[in-house]
Amino acid sequence: MGSPKKNENKGFFAAMTSGFSMFGSAMSRSVNGLQGNEGVEVINPEGGKEDAEEEAQKGRWKDEERDSYWKMMQKYIGSDITSMVTLPVVIFEPMTMLQKMAEIMEYSHLLDQADECEDPYMRLVYASSWAVSVYFAFQRTWKPFNPILGETYEMVNHGGISFISEQVSHHPPMSAAHAENEHFIYDITSKLKTKLLGNSVDVYPVGRTRVTLKKDGVVLDLVPPLTKIHNLIFGRTWVDSPGEMVMTNLTTGDKVVLYFQPCGWFGSGRYEVDGYVYSAAEEPKIMMTGKWNEKMSYQPCDAEGEPLPGTELKEVWHLADVPKNDKFQYTHFAHKINSFDTAPAKLLASDSRIRPDRYALEQGDLSKAGTEKHSLEERQRAEKRTRETKGQKFTPRWFDLTDEITPTPWGDIEVYQYNGKYTEHRDTAESSSSSSNETDLKSIEFNPWQYGNISTE
């Protein structure tokens, strides 16, 4: 069982994709004119016939910076660089990974619809479209800040959702998040794994994602595709996510398999997503097609994957309007995530919004952002040395490490489970809170270290 074969020349679905049959490696050219950088490939997602050297000079780097960082990164080729490399603040966006985890909540109304839906296959249509919807935000080429151990991010005032994420481990870097409203519960443990390939990097989403629909107690498991970041130093940086996304109804055995096409020659196939909702007996029930940067649609199909007579393709999700010429390619929701409008009245001092390097970058002060980033990293190292000297162990406040080990296509992951304490904390804070405004929240001093539980090993 899997996604439809692209070389099958039959039916409506095959006809839709036959024009994009040439996919595989994107157009690439070796850069031979840059002294000391021979053999570096620069990949242009739009194809074209530009001179390779000219194409390589495009991007955010100045010539002297480009050569310097290429020499620095060469020694890491083949390695996982998640926490190995100190990177300049110029490549960062004013958001942490904990905040980026919250971006999947933008179209949370699709999970509300999945919960209310009686048809088990349409539930997967809604839920998988929700999972696809975040990829427009994931195409940004700026790097989010790595969270400090014990750092958190809280979000309220969106779809009735209470969202909390926490950095639960520093080495390896791991984050956990929990979101909930009247329709669903969302839980994720995430451990990014990377592999530097020179001028590109593969990002493997090692993690466990579960969604529980409250009406019937249905539990959905999500396995996303990997992400490839092209032209890190030479050329215009761009992002692709080729491969399969699988969402499984653990309650019934039904599943949806969506194939994210890789960018092909001259940009063919880029953004395209196709697949089917299958019954537990592995019979296709609903065809899904679309683009992760535009919309997703569906149509009932027969056992051969052909559209049922009398049915038509219907849209289930489309991208909301986005700001034009935004400096960091942010959506309106991304700005909302950074805003204090989505913050609770009594914000934790460990929240990413008040992290000084992130906030300085948001205000356009790169020098201060770099200084603050270095200061936080040094303080984190000092805190670690102090704990080790005292024989102390850090444990998260809002998530507990379980005995469960979940296998993924890219390695096993330890699972952190939400312990319910944040809900109790928020209820108490709301019942005792007085009026608060943005200025009050901004005045809180960032301090992630005071929230973790420190115990003697």
Side-chain angles (χ1 to χ4, degrees):
M1 184 183 71
S3 298
K5 303 296 184 182
K6 300 300 176 185
N7 59 356
E8 292 178 358
N9 187 20
K10 63 176 183 177
F12 174 78
F13 184 64
M16 290 180 63
T17 59
S18 62
F20 303 101
S21 58
M22 294 178 61
F23 61 85
S25 299
M27 169 163 276
S28 62
R29 299 172 184 271
S30 292
V31 181
N32 298 313
L34 300 174
Q35 186 175 2
N37 304 309
E38 289 80 2
V40 177
E41 285 193 323
V42 178
I43 301 174
N44 181 357
E46 282 76 38
K49 299 180 180 179
E50 298 92 337
D51 178 79
E53 183 176 353
E54 179 182 347
E55 178 66 24
Q57 300 296 342
K58 297 177 181 178
R60 63 172 64 105
W61 298 100
K62 297 177 182 178
D63 288 347
E64 60 273 17
E65 293 173 338
R66 183 184 296 110
D67 292 342
S68 174
Y69 282 108
W70 169 245
K71 291 176 182 177
M72 179 188 75
M73 298 295 285
Q74 278 183 306
K75 62 184 178 181
Y76 294 109
I77 291 177
S79 301
D80 184 343
I81 58 169
T82 306
S83 56
M84 291 174 58
V85 183
T86 299
L87 297 171
V89 75
V90 69
I91 71 169
F92 284 76
E93 62 177 343
M95 182 181 288
T96 73
M97 183 59 72
L98 297 177
Q99 294 173 283
K100 199 173 184 75
M101 292 172 72
E103 287 198 81
I104 199 170
M105 290 293 118
E106 178 170 7
Y107 300 95
S108 60
H109 68 275
L110 291 168
L111 290 181
D112 296 345
Q113 290 177 276
D115 181 54
E116 295 170 345
C117 184
E118 299 293 339
D119 186 319
Y121 306 123
M122 280 303 300
R123 279 178 179 165
L124 286 173
V125 170
Y126 288 121
S128 61
S129 296
W130 161 79
V132 169
S133 69
V134 76
Y135 279 83
F136 179 83
F138 282 1
Q139 73 173 325
R140 292 198 303 268
T141 59
W142 306 92
K143 183 188 182 303
F145 286 91
N146 291 336
I148 300 295
L149 182 63
E151 185 174 337
T152 59
Y153 174 73
E154 304 176 78
M155 184 178 71
V156 296
N157 303 325
H158 173 72
I161 295 169
S162 174
F163 179 97
I164 178 69
S165 55
E166 181 176 14
Q167 189 71 359
V168 295
S169 172
H170 181 56
H171 288 297
M174 294 179 65
S175 308
H178 172 86
E180 187 171 355
N181 70 0
E182 63 178 325
H183 290 289
F184 67 85
I185 299 171
Y186 165 83
D187 287 289
I188 181 173
T189 302
S190 175
K191 179 174 68 176
L192 290 183
K193 178 181 178 181
T194 64
K195 184 176 183 180
L196 181 65
L197 302 175
N199 197 36
S200 65
V201 63
D202 286 353
V203 181
Y204 305 96
V206 182
R208 195 199 73 162
T209 302
R210 295 283 169 84
V211 175
T212 302
L213 303 178
K214 289 186 174 182
K215 184 178 179 180
D216 293 329
V218 168
V219 179
L220 307 177
D221 177 81
L222 175 66
V223 179
L226 63 80
T227 293
K228 302 178 76 70
I229 305 172
H230 301 275
N231 300 349
L232 285 175
I233 298 174
F234 297 94
R236 294 171 291 185
T237 306
W238 61 281
V239 179
D240 200 16
S241 297
E244 287 187 341
M245 170 186 285
V246 181
M247 177 176 279
T248 305
N249 184 330
L250 299 180
T251 308
T252 65
D254 305 328
K255 67 172 59 178
V256 54
V257 182
L258 298 177
Y259 180 73
F260 285 56
Q261 287 199 42
C263 180
W265 292 100
F266 304 104
S268 68
R270 192 180 183 201
Y271 310 116
E272 294 190 7
V273 182
D274 313 290
Y276 289 108
V277 176
Y278 296 91
S279 68
E282 301 189 359
E283 180 180 354
K285 293 293 184 180
I286 300 177
M287 178 191 80
M288 296 184 66
T289 187
K291 292 186 175 182
W292 52 258
N293 68 332
E294 291 183 10
K295 63 181 180 180
M296 288 297 295
S297 301
Y298 71 94
Q299 186 170 6
C301 64
D302 60 23
E304 298 298 319
E306 301 291 338
L308 289 177
T311 65
E312 60 183 11
L313 201 64
K314 294 184 179 180
E315 183 180 278
V316 64
W317 164 79
H318 68 269
L319 183 72
D321 292 337
V322 298
K324 295 182 179 179
N325 302 318
D326 190 88
K327 180 179 180 180
F328 292 103
Q329 302 170 303
Y330 272 15
T331 63
H332 289 294
F333 186 68
H335 284 291
K336 188 176 179 180
I337 284 175
N338 263 347
S339 169
F340 286 88
D341 292 340
T342 54
K346 289 193 173 182
L347 192 65
L348 295 171
S350 50
D351 194 88
S352 296
R353 290 179 187 83
I354 54 177
R355 180 171 161 158
D357 53 355
R358 187 216 67 80
Y359 186 70
L361 182 60
E362 185 178 37
Q363 299 302 305
D365 192 338
L366 268 68
S367 177
K368 184 176 181 181
T371 300
E372 295 286 3
K373 177 176 178 290
H374 176 74
S375 177
L376 285 176
E377 290 169 346
E378 286 298 309
R379 185 175 177 186
Q380 180 166 233
R381 294 185 186 102
E383 292 284 341
K384 180 182 179 182
R385 288 194 296 269
T386 299
R387 289 198 312 273
E388 290 177 344
T389 299
K390 295 181 179 180
Q392 294 176 335
K393 180 181 179 182
F394 176 92
T395 57
R397 185 179 185 184
W398 313 115
F399 297 87
D400 296 333
L401 180 62
T402 69
D403 294 329
E404 181 179 353
I405 304 293
T406 295
T408 79
W410 307 284
D412 296 344
I413 184 172
E414 308 86 350
V415 176
Y416 283 81
Q417 182 177 6
Y418 175 64
N419 57 28
K421 294 179 181 179
Y422 176 76
T423 302
E424 298 172 5
H425 161 81
R426 184 51 48 213
D427 290 344
T428 301
E430 289 177 353
S431 64
S432 62
S433 66
S434 57
S435 60
S436 180
N437 55 48
E438 186 168 322
T439 303
D440 294 330
L441 295 175
K442 284 183 180 179
S443 65
I444 301 172
E445 182 180 355
F446 180 67
N447 186 0
W449 296 281
Q450 73 182 54
Y451 287 103
N453 300 307
I454 303 295
S455 60
T456 301
E457 294 181 318

